Structures are given as C-alpha cells and as structure tokens.
Amino acid sequence: MIIPRNEQTALIPEGASVVLNGMHGQADCRVFLRVDPDGVGPDDRTYLHIRTRAPWYTLEGVNTLQWFGPGLVEAPVLGVERLR
C-alpha cells in the first residue's frame, strides 16, 4: 500500500492497528512492515505492508487509511497491490 509521506503519516509505526475505508466497507488491519525509501524512491511516499483477516474484496477501492494513535491520522491511499 502506498500513502503520502508527511509529518502525520511518519508517526504510524510498524505493528500499528489501522482502518482502511473504501467503497466496499472498512477493514481492520495491522502494519506489518513500513518502508520509507530514502534516496531510492520518491521522498513523498511511504510503503506499508498491511495484514488483515478481512475479505480481499474489502480492499478493492480502498481510498483512506486511518490510524488512531495519540491523535487521528488520516491519509489518502495512493495505491494497493495484493500479494498472493
């Protein structure tokens, strides 16, 4: 999953519980791995490996990620790739 990298999304740690929202509902997920490609990819992007027990179709059309940390962090989802 790709989200914008900014001051707020930089706070989302590996292991965080996040909620994905989209046209097929919402899914409770966990951030398994976070990659900030410093010097390798675009500086304004963060890549998250997300794990969930939600049905795969829930992730189709996901457009918002929410993390309820010390405060609400909400970010648009720029891309999702399903690993098989």
Side-chain angles (χ1 to χ4, degrees), residues 5-6 17-18 21 25 27-28 34 39-40 45 47-50 52 57 61 63-66 70-71 76 78 82 84:
R5 184 175 177 189
N6 57 41
S17 294
V18 296
N21 297 293
D28 294 324
R34 176 193 176 93
V40 177
R45 300 285 185 261
Y47 299 85
L48 302 176
H49 181 115
I50 301 288
T52 184
Y57 59 82
N63 54 24
T64 306
L65 176 139
Q66 294 176 320
L78 304 176
R82 184 173 169 224
R84 297 183 172 126

Side-chain angles (χ1 to χ4, degrees), residues 26-47:
Q26 70 180 41
D28 294 324
C29 307
R30 183 160 308 273
V31 176
F32 179 72
L33 180 66
R34 176 193 176 93
V35 177
D36 294 309
D38 297 325
V40 177
D43 291 338
D44 60 346
R45 300 285 185 261
T46 292
Y47 299 85

